[in-house]
Structures are given as structure tokens and as C-alpha cells.
Amino acid sequence: MIEQPKLTIDFLIDILFKRNLISAEHRSSVLARYKSQEARLAAGPQFAGRRMHRGGEMPSPAQVLASFNLETPGGNGRILSEDAITESLAAYLNIPYLKIDPLRLDLDVVTSYIPRPFALKHLIVPVEARDGELAIAVADPFNDQVLQEFSTAHRIKVRRILSSCSDIQKLLREFFGFRASLAAAENESSVNIDLGNLEQLFKLKGENEPEGTDRHIIMAVDFLLSYAFDQRASDIHIEPKRDKCLVRFRLDGMLHNIHLLPKQLHAPIVSRIKILSRMDLAEKRRPQDGRIKTSHNSKEVELRVSTVPTAFGEKVVIRIFDPDILFQELDSIGFYAREYALFNSFIHRPNGIMLVTGPTGSGKTTTLYSTLRTLSSPEVNIVTIEDPIEMVMEEFNQIAVQQAIGVTFGNILRTILRQDPDIIMVGEVRDKETADNAVQAALTGHLVLSTLHTNDAPSSIARLLDLGVPSYLISATVIGIIAQRLLRRICPMCKVSRRLSHEECKYLQLTEEATVFEGEGCKECRGTGYKGRTGIFEILEINDRIKGLITENLDLGDVVRAAEQDGFASLRKLAVRKMLEGVTTYDEVVSITG
Ligand SMILES: [Zn+2]
């Protein structure tokens, strides 16, 4: 009898090397790093005697290998992922590979054959039952004995499929929990109805759905929120359709379908969210706004919730304010050196106005909040005027605009000047009163940060003139204007290179041929080819050269030409630079700065 092979790191590295997914030098260096890590873990008392990759407490060899973020040979910076490793192992062993998509799984199949603790212990999960045969996804292809025993005990034919350890763990731990809670809630309510018990139906007042206080619904909403945090979603949309409830997440600026749920779960889920955000439960015909303060991975996350009645019920949008996204180190949000130096010089001036411009969703709030956090200290009084307050922060004094009762940007600004602020952040300059008061604040020794709705930095000067600010006051107070955009980053897991065509080069005014990169689309990036975003910052410094051009007869062309003498780089130019560096794609450059 041939001895059963074991899924060890050596075995895996050998296969990856044979399949040209790992280079010769990585092959030996990784092995050494792994051995030292393994020795360290084995030495710890809590791991003594524990098996390496069965219990789920210890990472599997594929997870460890993936954690090294190795570049594949000739892969143009493509990173060796756990999925790629697992897929390669499956191909080598001639076993079908499955990337687990929880949306496509049948809950009954996943839950009814194998108890969860057993499944977690052996990292196996049933994924399909057909024609008297059960397909079971396994993380360890050599863990045959468990499947054989299972097959004998249950008298069912078993087919083995290989999936990544992370996918199986995730399915069993998180997503599984969400689906199970929903199913339980759904079952309990339908039990009531199926009984045909008139008295119970009467008690339910004709409602065939569980309540928002049902413990399964509470758990399901908790799972949904934490899943959104894990995915770094910026928004959750819960939309009633005619006979379904659609849950979508906004990831890197794009909406993705996440769940399609039975319609009777829509109302209780919405109720639960309304309870959490302290809205009026009974009010279903008017839009409402609320907030939820919660925590994730021991940090506070703020959610802004809004409901709107639609033809099929209340639609809920939850905007997620993740402090890790809103507050970032200024040197990590995408600035190039020249722009970073200018930006820093603006925010450290004692007085003047700095404007950030760009459309909604271009990252202005992150830039401003991160700046305030940088400037915040016990000696400085920071006041913000926002509509509405994006995220409540104790170290700032935040005031919310309330248009309905006449509390506007303009009149709050006038009032707070008496409150001795040092730095003032005004959510947006959108009228003459606000503009005038911002100018006053700057003239009386305050640093004012604000936003404007313009497409680029130079045209902000024209916008201020349109608002009625005299040109000499613009020259006297505005110190710098930043126009910004967010560009999607290419997914490192499916990055490929290509030559730009002659037409494309011409369109971007590139004089020589260029190689660019793009994502082919993989499971890691949900087929989009992108993962994460970075900022580009067009900065116009209002120096003496520019001041001389700010007149009532402003010529924006003159302003741009003058700025270029000082090294001004437009959004387009900055985006092209990110593209040539392999950070983003040609398509993204065209769509964001087109
Ligand atoms: Zn990808």
C-alpha cells in the first residue's frame, strides 16, 4: 500500500514550483521563514501538541504561503493568493476546485448533513446534494478518512471538492450564521401560518412576518453589519422589490448585489435597523434619518441611516463611517511629494482659506477630517460646521446646519467667531453669506478649511467671483485650492499588462508608447479587476504670480499657464502618472478625469 501523502508546506511549495507559480529563490527563502514560524508557534504552550491545520486555530500551509504576499514569476506583480494556491493544488491532484460563493449555496445542504462543530474541526462543508450524492468541500485533500467514515455512517455517496481553508472557515463562521438566523426567523414565522391556526393568525394581526425584535432578526442584522465592515463597504442598501428583498453593498464606489432574501424578511430587518437608529417604528410613509454608533474590532464605527418609502416598502440606506477610512495619515492617501509639501504648507499657516473641491464621493471628507485630526492638539480650538455631521468626534466642536430653522453655514460661522476658534472647517461654501463670513474669519486670523463644488482647482476662483466675493479679497485670503478624485486601484491578484494602442496614447497625449496594467477580474475582486482606491490631488497655490491674475476679468487659461510655470499638475496628468506606475488603469483615468 502506498503511503498517504500529507498536506505540508514542502509538498505545496514543490507543486507550486513545478507549476511555475513560485520562483526558485522564493522556494528556499519561504521554506526557511515557515520553519522558523512553525518552531515558534510549536514552542508556545497553548499550541503544544495541537495539529497544524485541522482545528482552525492554526493557519493552513496555503494560508501561511499566501500571507507572504509573494509575487508570481513573470506575473507582473501578481500576488500568489490562497485561492490561486488551492486551485493549483486541485489541478495537480486532479480534484475539482470550488471558490465558495455563499449566495449560491443551498442552506439546507450546508446545515443538515454535518454538525457545525464537526465541520469546523475537519474543515469540511457540504455544498451540493444531487442524485443521492453529496459534494463536500474540503480544505485538506488528504483528509480522506473523515469523508469515508461519514459516507459509511450516513450511507451516502460522497464526492470530494477542494476549497480554500479561508472560504470554508468563513462560510461556517460568519456567513453561515447570517443565513441560519434568517432561515430560523423565516421558518418560525411560516410555522405560525402553516398551522392554519386562526387564533394565532389573529394574534399576528394578519402579519406573516417576524418582528424586528425577533432574536434571529437581531442576529441576522448584526451579521450583516459586521460582514459590511469586513468588506470595507461604504454603504449598505436594503431595497424592497415586488417579491424579494435585495441587499447591496457599495465597495470602492460601485454597488454589488450581496443577498437576495425572501420578501417577508424585509420589514423585520428594516424594523430592527430603525430600532437601532432610534427612528419612529410606526412611521413608514415619511423619510427618516438616524444614527447608529457601534463597534467593530474594538473601534467605534458610526452609521448614518436613512429610510425612504418606495412602492414596495421602505428602502434603507446605511452609510458607514469607518474611522480607519475617514481618518488616515495624510502621507498615505495618494499625494505625490510636490503636492504633499504644498498641502502641508497650507494647513500650517495661521490664517487664510484652503478649499477642497470635487464631486460627491471624491474623498473630500477624508482629506478634511484627516487634516483636522493632524492639526488637533490641546492648544487648538477646532470648530466644524457640517450639514450633516459626518462623524461625531469629541476633540472637535461640531455644529450641525439646520436649514429648516434657519441655522445655516453663514450665520453659524458668524456666531462662532465669538467662540475664539483657531481652525474652522465649514462643510461647504454654497452661498454669498457663507463666502463672506469665511473671508471675514480668514481676515481676522483664522484658518478656514472648506469645500466647493467645482471640477478643478482653477475654476474655484471663478466660482468665488460668481458668489460675489471681490477679487482683492480672494487674493488676500485664499491660500490654496485642492481638487481631488479617487481612482480605483488595480487588483494585485489578477493584474496583467498590455500596450496602450496608438489612439489611446494620442488621447492621453503620451508621446511614446506605454505599457499599462489592468485587472482581468478574479474572485478576490468580485470580477471587477479593482481593489481599494487612492487619491489624486491637483493643487493650485495662490502665490504672487497667481494673485496678479485674479481680477474681475479672470482668464482661467492664464491662471493655468502661470501655475504650470510653478509645476502645477492637473488631475489628468496626475491620473496618467498613477496609470504609468501600474496603480490604476487606462479606463479609470478616462472615466474619472475624462
Ligand atoms: Zn482580481
PDB file of all heavy atoms in Angstrom, residues 491 493-494 521-522 525 529, ligand 1:
ATOM      1  N   CYS A 491      -6.507  45.361  -8.933  1.00  0.00           N
ATOM      2  CA  CYS A 491      -6.431  44.203  -8.030  1.00  0.00           C
ATOM      3  C   CYS A 491      -5.079  43.507  -8.234  1.00  0.00           C
ATOM      4  O   CYS A 491      -4.739  43.132  -9.359  1.00  0.00           O
ATOM      5  CB  CYS A 491      -7.574  43.242  -8.338  1.00  0.00           C
ATOM      6  SG  CYS A 491      -7.405  41.656  -7.528  1.00  0.00           S
ATOM      7  N   MET A 493      -4.202  40.644  -7.451  1.00  0.00           N
ATOM      8  CA  MET A 493      -4.313  39.199  -7.668  1.00  0.00           C
ATOM      9  C   MET A 493      -4.541  38.831  -9.133  1.00  0.00           C
ATOM     10  O   MET A 493      -4.370  37.675  -9.503  1.00  0.00           O
ATOM     11  CB  MET A 493      -5.470  38.632  -6.837  1.00  0.00           C
ATOM     12  CG  MET A 493      -5.361  38.877  -5.362  1.00  0.00           C
ATOM     13  SD  MET A 493      -3.917  38.078  -4.656  1.00  0.00           S
ATOM     14  CE  MET A 493      -3.976  38.699  -2.993  1.00  0.00           C
ATOM     15  N   CYS A 494      -4.998  39.767  -9.949  1.00  0.00           N
ATOM     16  CA  CYS A 494      -5.295  39.374 -11.336  1.00  0.00           C
ATOM     17  C   CYS A 494      -4.750  40.415 -12.322  1.00  0.00           C
ATOM     18  O   CYS A 494      -5.299  40.645 -13.383  1.00  0.00           O
ATOM     19  CB  CYS A 494      -6.802  39.188 -11.529  1.00  0.00           C
ATOM     20  SG  CYS A 494      -7.801  40.632 -11.160  1.00  0.00           S
ATOM     21  N   GLY A 521      -9.959  40.473 -13.508  1.00  0.00           N
ATOM     22  CA  GLY A 521     -11.165  40.120 -12.758  1.00  0.00           C
ATOM     23  C   GLY A 521     -10.994  38.737 -12.169  1.00  0.00           C
ATOM     24  O   GLY A 521     -10.759  37.774 -12.897  1.00  0.00           O
ATOM     25  N   CYS A 522     -11.035  38.667 -10.858  1.00  0.00           N
ATOM     26  CA  CYS A 522     -10.891  37.363 -10.217  1.00  0.00           C
ATOM     27  C   CYS A 522     -11.871  37.309  -9.052  1.00  0.00           C
ATOM     28  O   CYS A 522     -12.638  38.240  -8.830  1.00  0.00           O
ATOM     29  CB  CYS A 522      -9.450  37.161  -9.727  1.00  0.00           C
ATOM     30  SG  CYS A 522      -8.956  38.274  -8.393  1.00  0.00           S
ATOM     31  N   CYS A 525     -11.583  40.131  -6.327  1.00  0.00           N
ATOM     32  CA  CYS A 525     -12.084  41.491  -6.569  1.00  0.00           C
ATOM     33  C   CYS A 525     -13.502  41.454  -7.121  1.00  0.00           C
ATOM     34  O   CYS A 525     -13.955  42.420  -7.732  1.00  0.00           O
ATOM     35  CB  CYS A 525     -11.146  42.237  -7.511  1.00  0.00           C
ATOM     36  SG  CYS A 525     -10.879  41.408  -9.078  1.00  0.00           S
ATOM     37  N   GLY A 529     -11.685  43.572 -11.209  1.00  0.00           N
ATOM     38  CA  GLY A 529     -10.313  43.921 -11.574  1.00  0.00           C
ATOM     39  C   GLY A 529      -9.735  45.034 -10.709  1.00  0.00           C
ATOM     40  O   GLY A 529      -8.613  45.474 -10.933  1.00  0.00           O
TER      41      GLY A 529
HETATM   42 ZN    ZN B   1      -8.758  40.487  -9.036  1.00  0.00          ZN
END
